[in-house]
């Protein structure tokens, strides 16, 4: 198994385009792989290598060099604080640091400088089952855990999505996503390198930058919901994307209103997909299927999904009945580094990974993600209710710009449905009645709380644990 072809035939990209363009800086495929081989020669035989994942050509060279050498790369967020950075370095056992060196790094951790003009000889292809990446989870409970992602999983991930989206070397991918998460690093950089396509990374995901890239020939565009919302708010930029072959949204649910706004301006709404650090992207809306807001598609090749009720039985495939989503297949991680007990707890007795997400499936095998079981599954009055379904309805109400639905303790109901809303509202009772008229009555919010903004993390995901 060759993860990244480096033969003469694949030394360039179609039309002589650069392999990578990051914030205006370019590099050809032959230059990129030559510089990466020089890094591989220097890191070969070392332990894990921490990479300061700034959006830059040197960062791309660093990741590719580690992968060529068969050395696990550890993405480190550039904005990580001293405590987070220290945990990642100590927990991963990083032996080298690549990138700008913060003042708080331990003296014994050596720094390697990347030379984009250097060249080397690519080593033999590493074991496909060896760890390629150690990616740290968001750490919603306790310190972040390092997920071991193998080379084989990366291959399955890229090839599965390439088939679902007809991704070819002729494509030019455009995005401005961070290079330390699955979305930006694996889908956004490693995938085009394996496929032989080009990447244009805009530095920051500004609407004008996406529009300019579209006019320059971009064919695929990635973004999180916040990015798509901002693009939709700038009609000229959004219309420029009408030349694109595919728009993709991920990392959080895309509000139906944003889907419809982008569709009206760009001629197509973004397809959605589902995944997490431990599974990579496992479910995706296919290019040749109808796009329905809120639905993330079907498992990619090599992946299976099931949805179980509280008794452990499969739920009805009616598109409405929700349950716990579990995954197994080729893209799964190999466990948490140094956390055997946590790894064991994350899998069912028959080998399925417990995602911790709540989902529904229709009779065509398409999936709808309701949210996280711990924060988006609300048990009220004996009913199991998905927060995401209520949020989608609320976002259609005039004046509501953003919303987060949570369950709060209630002596009578067990949990009471509360909606935190950003926007202008004159009659909160009317909003509650609106939801009751759109969904089952028991799914209506019992309370509307207006806020100026919702708390979000670096990827734009709403942090419901901070709502009280």
């Amino acid at each position: 198994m060759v993860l990244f072809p480096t033969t003469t035939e694949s030394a360039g990209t179609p039309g002589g385009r650069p392999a990578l363009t990051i914030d205006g800086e370019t590099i050809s495929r032959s230059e990129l792989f030559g510089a990466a081989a020089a890094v591989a020669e220097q890191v070969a035989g070392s332990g894990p290598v921490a990479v300061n994942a700034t959006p830059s050509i040197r960062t791309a060279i660093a990741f590719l060099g580690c992968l060529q050498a068969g050395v696990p790369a550890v993405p480190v967020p550039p904005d990580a604080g001293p405590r987070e950075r220290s945990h990642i370095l100590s927990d991963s056992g990083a032996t080298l640091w690549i990138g700008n060196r913060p003042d708080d790094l331990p003296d014994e951790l050596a720094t390697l400088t990347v030379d984009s003009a250097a060249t080397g000889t690519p080593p033999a292809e590493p074991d496909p089952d060896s760890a390629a990446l150690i990616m740290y989870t968001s750490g919603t409970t306790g310190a972040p855990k390092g997920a071991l992602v193998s080379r084989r999983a990366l291959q399955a991930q890229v090839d599965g999505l390439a088939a679902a989206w007809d991704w070819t070397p002729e494509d030019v991918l455009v995005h401005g996503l961070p290079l330390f998460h699955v979305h930006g690093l694996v889908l956004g950089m490693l995938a085009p390198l394996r496929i032989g396509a080009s990447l244009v990374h805009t530095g920051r995901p500004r609407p004008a930058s996406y529009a300019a890239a579209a006019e320059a020939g971009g064919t695929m565009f990635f973004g999180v919901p916040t990015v798509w919302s901002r693009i939709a708010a700038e009609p000229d930029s959004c219309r420029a994307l009408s030349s694109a072959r595919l728009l993709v949204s991920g990392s959080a649910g895309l509000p139906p209103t944003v889907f419809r706004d982008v569709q009206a301006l760009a001629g197509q709404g973004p397809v959605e997909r589902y995944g997490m650090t431990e599974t990579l992207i496992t479910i995706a809306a296919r290019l040749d299927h109808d796009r329905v807001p809120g639905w993330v598609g079907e498992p990619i090749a090599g992946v299976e999904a099931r949805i179980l009720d509280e008794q452990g039985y499969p739920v009805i495939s009616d598109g409405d009945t929700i349950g716990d989503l579990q995954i197994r297949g080729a893209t799964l991680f190999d466990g948490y580094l140094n956390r055997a007990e946590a790894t064991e707890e994350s899998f069912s007795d028959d080998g399925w990974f417990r995602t911790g997400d709540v989902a529904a499936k229709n009779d065509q095998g398409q999936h709808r993600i309701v949210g996280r079981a711990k924060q988006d599954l609300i048990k009220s009055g004996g009913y199991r209710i998905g927060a995401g379904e209520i949020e989608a309805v609320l976002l259609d109400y005039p004046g509501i710009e953003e919303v987060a639905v949570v369950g709060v303790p209630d002596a009578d109901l067990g949990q009471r449905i509360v909606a935190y809303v950003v926007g202008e509202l004159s009659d909160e009772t009317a909003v509650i009645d609106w939801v009751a008229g759109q969904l089952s009555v028991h799914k209506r919010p019992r309370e509307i709380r207006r806020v100026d903004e919702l708390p979000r993390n670096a990827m734009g995901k709403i942090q419901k644990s901070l709502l009280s």
Side-chain angles (χ1 to χ4, degrees), residues 232-325:
E234 296 190 14
D236 288 344
S237 293
C238 198
R239 290 190 191 96
L241 301 185
S242 61
S243 62
R245 187 178 69 80
L246 180 67
L247 312 179
V248 180
S249 182
S251 297
L254 182 69
T257 50
V258 176
F259 176 94
R260 291 194 290 268
D261 288 346
V262 174
Q263 184 178 48
L265 292 164
Q268 62 171 311
V271 302
E272 295 186 68
R273 83 299 179 281
Y274 166 81
M276 54 196 305
T277 303
E278 293 89 340
T279 67
L280 303 182
I281 303 306
T282 55
I283 301 174
R286 296 183 61 88
L287 183 66
D288 54 356
H289 288 177
D290 291 338
R291 303 178 193 182
V292 181
W295 291 81
V296 297
E298 61 193 73
I300 65 172
V303 174
E304 297 176 89
R306 70 182 184 185
I307 303 172
L308 304 182
D309 63 18
E310 290 182 297
Q311 287 72 46
Y313 295 105
V315 303
I316 301 171
S317 298
D318 59 2
D320 187 58
T321 305
I322 62 176
D324 298 321
L325 178 63

Side-chain angles (χ1 to χ4, degrees), residues 399-452:
I400 293 181
E401 300 171 5
E402 295 180 315
V403 63
V405 171
V406 299
V408 301
D410 185 275
D412 178 44
L413 298 170
Q415 285 184 302
R416 182 173 73 259
I417 301 173
V418 174
Y420 286 82
V421 170
V422 177
E424 295 295 329
L425 295 177
S426 58
D427 188 345
E428 296 174 4
T429 300
V431 177
I432 295 172
D433 292 342
W434 158 265
V435 176
Q438 300 292 315
L439 303 172
S440 301
V441 174
H442 67 264
K443 296 180 180 180
R444 71 191 187 282
R446 302 300 178 116
E447 185 181 350
I448 303 289
R449 299 180 183 177
R450 284 181 285 181
V451 294
D452 292 331

Side-chain angles (χ1 to χ4, degrees), residues 368-380:
R368 176 170 62 88
I369 307 300
V370 173
R372 295 296 293 171
K374 290 183 178 179
Q375 63 184 20
D376 293 315
L377 177 60
I378 301 170
K379 297 180 179 180
S380 181

